[in-house]
Amino acid sequence: AQKITQTQPGMFVQEKEAVTLDCTYDTSDQSYGLFWYKQPSSGEMIFLIYQGSYDEQNATEGRYSLNFQKARKSANLVISASQLGDSAMYFCAMREGLRGSARQLTFGSGTQLTVLP
Amino acid sequence: EAGVAQSPRYKIIEKRQSVAFWCNPISGHATLYWYQQILGQGPKLLIQFQNNGVVDDSQLPKDRFSAERLKGVDSTLKIQPAKLEDSAVYLCASSLATRKNEQFFGPGTRLTVL
């Protein structure tokens, strides 16, 4: 089974509107971390936001927020007030294991977001 | 603070040739990762180092891929001989052992095998 599933290959959003990018995950670990990265056409991976499995509140970083629903094993990214510069590929990723453990990230297949003027 | 450095940025080779990629992680980051990202897919871990020791190389095709991190700082990934299916972006990342263990990525090396 896929560990990270992103079901939206492509999404379009109008500038200044909010958009939600879906991510579901599969793990039997109690302790894990969920990450979202942005990858513009230039190729670098830019860290956006992190949610720990024991964090009670949803993570927020500026215009980014993570809608964490542990029982449903979902970790959707919400981008508010979209900007043209938000057009990029977005990856959801998971690190399994203890907090602070240097474990690999398992990535989803990504969602290509296009912001329309 | 300088980010993760990688070179070269682009490389084109013919199949059966060899190629090497270099990565210099963020200063002080003990953990270094090499990922392979095939076009249209998410990155996939090839190998993970903790200082100069290998933590996980279970997905590294060891018949043709090798990697080293001799002094626990910079690292080299080699492919010999290359196959067409090795065409991908090779990403290097590094991290500290913090609560979230955020990984910082380099710009990547785009390899084309003809």
Side-chain angles (χ1 to χ4, degrees), chain A residues 5-100:
Chain A
T5 302
Q6 295 181 255
T7 58
Q8 306 153 313
M11 288 281 286
F12 291 89
V13 64
Q14 209 68 39
E15 194 178 7
K16 299 179 187 176
E17 292 188 348
V19 63
T20 298
L21 306 184
D22 294 342
C23 173
T24 57
Y25 60 92
D26 183 28
T27 181
S28 56
D29 281 4
Q30 295 300 309
S31 181
Y32 52 89
L34 296 159
F35 299 77
W36 277 91
Y37 281 85
K38 172 184 178 181
Q39 189 175 44
S41 56
S42 53
E44 75 271 29
M45 297 284 282
I46 302 167
F47 166 76
L48 295 178
I49 196 166
Y50 165 83
Q51 180 84 41
S53 59
Y54 292 113
D55 293 342
E56 294 184 353
Q57 292 193 338
N58 286 343
T60 60
E61 292 281 353
R63 294 186 299 111
Y64 304 107
S65 60
L66 201 151
N67 184 0
F68 181 47
Q69 298 188 42
K70 197 169 182 176
R72 293 185 176 185
K73 293 189 174 179
S74 75
N76 299 339
L77 176 71
V78 180
I79 305 174
S80 63
S82 296
Q83 301 172 357
L84 295 177
D86 293 335
S87 293
M89 183 72 92
Y90 288 80
F91 290 98
C92 180
M94 176 173 64
R95 171 192 46 76
E96 294 172 283
L98 294 173
R99 288 182 185 190

Side-chain angles (χ1 to χ4, degrees), chain A residues 35 37 39 41-47 50 52 55 61 89 91 95 98-110, chain B residues 9 31 33 35 37 40-45 48 50 55-56 59 91 95 97-107 110:
Chain A
F35 299 77
Y37 281 85
Q39 189 175 44
S41 56
S42 53
E44 75 271 29
M45 297 284 282
I46 302 167
F47 166 76
Y50 165 83
D55 293 342
E61 292 281 353
M89 183 72 92
F91 290 98
R95 171 192 46 76
L98 294 173
R99 288 182 185 190
S101 64
R103 300 279 187 90
Q104 64 165 297
L105 291 176
T106 302
F107 286 84
S109 55
Chain B
R9 292 294 313 277
T31 310
Y33 314 78
Y35 289 88
Q37 185 177 19
Q41 299 181 17
K44 181 188 79 172
L45 182 76
Q48 175 184 338
Q50 182 74 21
V55 173
D56 184 351
Q59 298 181 89
L91 294 163
S95 69
T98 60
R99 182 181 80 88
K100 63 183 178 184
N101 189 231
E102 174 191 345
Q103 293 184 22
F104 295 85
F105 284 80
R110 184 177 298 276

Side-chain angles (χ1 to χ4, degrees), chain B residues 5 7 18 23 27 64 71 79 85 102-103 109:
Chain B
S7 67
S18 62
C23 172
S27 177
R64 298 183 301 106
K71 297 182 180 179
I79 309 174
E85 59 260 35
E102 174 191 345
Q103 293 184 22
T109 296

